[in-house]
Amino acid sequence: MRNDARFLAHEILNQFNNKTKLDNLIEKVLTKYNPDYLARSRCRVIICDVIRLLGRIDFIIKIVTGKNQKQISRPMQSILRIGFYEILIDENTPNYATVDSLVNLTKSISNRKSAGFINAVLRKLVRKNNDNPDWINSLSNHSEWNSMPDWIQRRWKKNLGSEGFIKMIESVNENPPGFIRIDQKGKTIEQIIKDLSNDGIDTKIFSESFLMVKGGVGKVLQTKMFKNGEISIQNPASAAVVDCLNVKRGDFVIDVCAAPGTKSLYLSSLVGDSGKILASDVRTERVEMGKRDVDRHGKLNIKWEVKDATKDSYPMTDYILIDAPCTGTGVLGRKPDIKWRRKNRDVLEMAKKQFDILSHCSKFVKANGVIVYATCSIEPEENWNVVDRFLNLNPNFRLDDVHSMVPKSWIDERGAMSTLPHINRVDGMFAARIIKE
């Protein structure tokens, strides 16, 4: 069973809840069973797609079975979720293979009665699909189809407008492209594309420092170039947050709330060997992750420390990057479990913490120094509201424009970086550049 992707996906779905980070759960199960590359890769695809479209899939299961969630046991629910995903959404698996495999899986973990139930439901779905392939489209006007908690739907309709809401929902319910950042070490971008192609990874140029991955994204971590730090997995919007600091060789930068350290690594390449990065995070295990990445890249100019950005002290500096903890609503396409873990109250709770971090860290920036305050949220309360409150209470700080630092189409009307997945085709990010007078 360890090399059966459906079995592995079933194990993960059985344990998934609104308190567990999906990445950690996937790693736990894959470490336990140690499947081969194909099973590991297929399992990840199934899980990410099912969790992304969980609301829609559960809605369709309810319609086809006539039962609500409480009437179906968790193990059977997990099997149906995989089956409905493969039959309705995944175009790579024949229906008969899905039905046979999941019926056999049910027999191995339960009993013949349960297997009969799974067989009957999946075959009913296949018949329904064959009789009228368009029946599924009639469900698209229901809110459950959007596979998004109601509180987010209400919020996005208000903030994005009806058209923006629909496009945003469509965007985050698709599997987003992967990106590779090139840490220039002598190779041309054409040579890197060729080397990646030899490793089974199909890419195209997105910008002078980024490649968009068209196929084989799961193989990137196994490449020699990744292991020796020539390339990193990073979204272009994430890197653009760093660009808003506009650092140069030899600069000293404090990067708070920095784990797992992707932005710290990019900063270290910008400041060079003569510069220094002090990266910190409040959680020890996340700092250890950052340290491991530093070792992989062979960076000598990054120092990691465990620090609480709301109260601990830092040395004075000209540059501070605050990649603030947030609700993460700008990265739901890449991290679909976030939407099932977040609650409406989290927005204001995060905004309070973000303001506390910005207020405290501002004490450690020198005159004429720069703070970049950033989130991967698209919620106004966590972005402009936090910045405006801080500026109103601190007249010795002012807003600075990020023009010439990031693409023009990524800049909002007030001069901050603000990206949206359905418009910019990158993660939803916010970054405001603040100067101390």
Side-chain angles (χ1 to χ4, degrees), residues 254-376:
I254 292 176
D255 184 5
V256 304
C257 314
T262 312
K263 293 181 181 71
S264 305
L265 287 168
Y266 181 35
L267 274 170
S268 94
S269 67
L270 294 176
V271 303
D273 294 339
S274 58
K276 182 182 177 184
I277 309 298
L278 173 58
S280 66
D281 202 272
V282 72
R283 288 165 55 190
T284 304
E285 66 272 20
R286 287 177 62 79
V287 169
E288 291 303 315
M289 287 172 60
K291 287 180 177 178
R292 286 194 294 273
D293 234 11
V294 167
D295 293 340
R296 177 174 65 84
H297 282 259
K299 298 290 188 182
L300 302 176
N301 61 350
I302 303 179
K303 181 183 179 184
W304 275 95
E305 292 184 0
V306 178
K307 282 183 178 289
D308 185 335
T310 64
K311 62 183 181 182
D312 288 339
S313 62
Y314 297 84
M316 298 299 291
T317 182
D318 291 311
Y319 298 97
I320 296 179
L321 174 60
I322 302 174
D323 187 14
C326 66
T327 55
T329 55
V331 294
L332 297 184
R334 279 197 302 112
K335 300 180 178 181
D337 58 310
I338 290 177
K339 61 186 173 185
W340 307 122
R341 291 193 284 112
R342 290 288 178 222
K343 300 288 186 287
N344 194 17
R345 64 176 180 269
D346 293 341
V347 176
L348 291 182
E349 288 177 6
M350 284 293 182
K352 181 184 182 304
K353 181 183 287 188
Q354 291 154 353
F355 176 78
D356 290 344
I357 290 171
L358 177 55
S359 297
H360 179 70
C361 289
S362 68
K363 300 172 185 175
F364 305 101
V365 67
K366 297 176 183 178
N368 299 313
V370 181
I371 299 172
V372 167
Y373 168 79
T375 76
C376 57

Side-chain angles (χ1 to χ4, degrees), residues 130-328:
N130 290 340
D131 291 344
N132 180 14
D134 291 329
W135 76 277
I136 197 77
N137 296 327
S138 66
L139 306 178
S140 61
N141 59 341
H142 292 264
S143 63
E144 294 94 335
W145 181 267
N146 296 329
S147 195
M148 191 69 62
D150 288 341
W151 69 269
I152 295 182
Q153 295 198 49
R154 289 192 298 270
R155 172 176 282 278
W156 286 2
K157 283 177 183 176
K158 177 184 174 184
N159 294 337
L160 302 174
S162 56
E163 186 178 349
F165 165 74
I166 292 169
K167 289 182 177 178
M168 182 67 172
I169 288 289
E170 289 174 349
S171 175
V172 298
N173 279 338
E174 293 175 351
N175 189 19
F179 292 93
I180 291 172
R181 180 174 60 79
I182 301 166
D183 192 354
Q184 303 292 350
K185 288 187 176 179
K187 283 186 180 179
T188 64
I189 195 167
E190 289 77 16
Q191 183 61 51
I192 289 174
I193 290 173
K194 183 179 178 182
D195 290 348
L196 287 169
S197 179
N198 291 336
D199 288 325
I201 302 160
D202 185 19
T203 60
K204 69 175 184 178
I205 296 174
F206 182 80
S207 67
E208 62 180 24
S209 299
F210 279 89
L211 299 175
M212 180 185 286
V213 183
K214 295 159 63 180
V217 67
K219 299 177 181 178
V220 175
L221 299 181
Q222 309 306 317
T223 63
K224 184 178 178 181
M225 282 190 291
F226 179 83
K227 290 177 179 177
N228 67 19
E230 288 181 77
I231 59 174
S232 294
I233 295 174
Q234 186 176 24
N235 192 274
S238 169
V241 166
V242 172
D243 292 332
C244 290
L245 270 177
N246 200 25
V247 297
K248 56 187 181 300
R249 295 278 166 178
D251 283 334
F252 168 51
V253 184
I254 292 176
D255 184 5
V256 304
C257 314
T262 312
K263 293 181 181 71
S264 305
L265 287 168
Y266 181 35
L267 274 170
S268 94
S269 67
L270 294 176
V271 303
D273 294 339
S274 58
K276 182 182 177 184
I277 309 298
L278 173 58
S280 66
D281 202 272
V282 72
R283 288 165 55 190
T284 304
E285 66 272 20
R286 287 177 62 79
V287 169
E288 291 303 315
M289 287 172 60
K291 287 180 177 178
R292 286 194 294 273
D293 234 11
V294 167
D295 293 340
R296 177 174 65 84
H297 282 259
K299 298 290 188 182
L300 302 176
N301 61 350
I302 303 179
K303 181 183 179 184
W304 275 95
E305 292 184 0
V306 178
K307 282 183 178 289
D308 185 335
T310 64
K311 62 183 181 182
D312 288 339
S313 62
Y314 297 84
M316 298 299 291
T317 182
D318 291 311
Y319 298 97
I320 296 179
L321 174 60
I322 302 174
D323 187 14
C326 66
T327 55

